[in-house]
Amino acid sequence: MVRMSSAQIKKMLTQGVVDAQAVSEQDAMAAATQEGLSAFVVDCDRARNRSAVLRAVVKAIDYPEFFGGNLDALYDGLCDTLSDQKVGLFLWFRHLHSGDPALAADAEAIAAVCNDVVEFGQNNERQFAYAIQHAGAHPAPEPGVDPTPYSGRAEV
């Protein structure tokens, strides 16, 4: 990864989409914070469907209610959260497994919702920006090995 200058990252933030292939998570989060944006990481690594990705968004932004797999509710939740910010909001979607057949179309739909929130922010004197760090497909489950629970903790 080529290290981008702070000015280049800030330009991407202003445009609403940060290229996760060109910018590290750490640099993007630092630049967003310097710009006065509230910055959150949406950890999508364990998410295997749209509902799980949206749960990760709710958890990251500490939204008071879960909205299932409803993309309209995602839009409303992000717009509400954005409106509550002084300057704006930045989301880094970490390891969105868009290579999974179950998530391929949903990853595009989630990006489209984020683009709509960028426009909402521009129309309401707020700044919204996001980056999606795409990951390939989840590894196939190993026979006889239970998958890691979404919480990340082993069941006792």
Side-chain angles (χ1 to χ4, degrees), residues 1-14 16-42 88-94 127-133:
M1 176 181 315
V2 175
R3 186 160 173 95
M4 305 213 50
S5 72
S6 180
Q8 291 171 310
I9 298 170
K10 288 177 183 179
K11 182 177 179 183
M12 283 188 245
L13 286 168
T14 301
V17 181
V18 174
D19 182 356
Q21 291 182 321
V23 179
S24 73
E25 178 183 326
Q26 181 179 356
D27 289 346
M29 297 296 282
T33 302
Q34 287 173 358
E35 289 296 298
L37 303 178
S38 296
F40 300 97
V41 173
V42 179
L89 179 66
F90 173 68
L91 296 181
W92 179 279
F93 288 83
R94 180 190 293 152
Q127 183 179 352
F128 179 77
Y130 70 98
I132 298 178
Q133 181 184 30

Side-chain angles (χ1 to χ4, degrees), residues 12-85:
M12 283 188 245
L13 286 168
T14 301
Q15 294 170 342
V17 181
V18 174
D19 182 356
Q21 291 182 321
V23 179
S24 73
E25 178 183 326
Q26 181 179 356
D27 289 346
M29 297 296 282
T33 302
Q34 287 173 358
E35 289 296 298
L37 303 178
S38 296
F40 300 97
V41 173
V42 179
D43 189 358
C44 302
D45 197 36
R46 291 185 187 90
R48 292 184 176 269
N49 57 43
R50 177 193 300 178
S51 181
V53 172
L54 300 188
R55 275 194 306 272
V57 172
V58 167
K59 182 177 178 181
I61 64 175
D62 198 24
Y63 197 69
E65 61 187 73
F66 175 58
F67 35 76
N70 186 328
L71 292 174
D72 289 333
L74 171 65
Y75 174 81
D76 292 341
L78 290 176
C79 289
D80 287 348
T81 302
L82 178 60
S83 296
D84 291 342
Q85 308 305 311

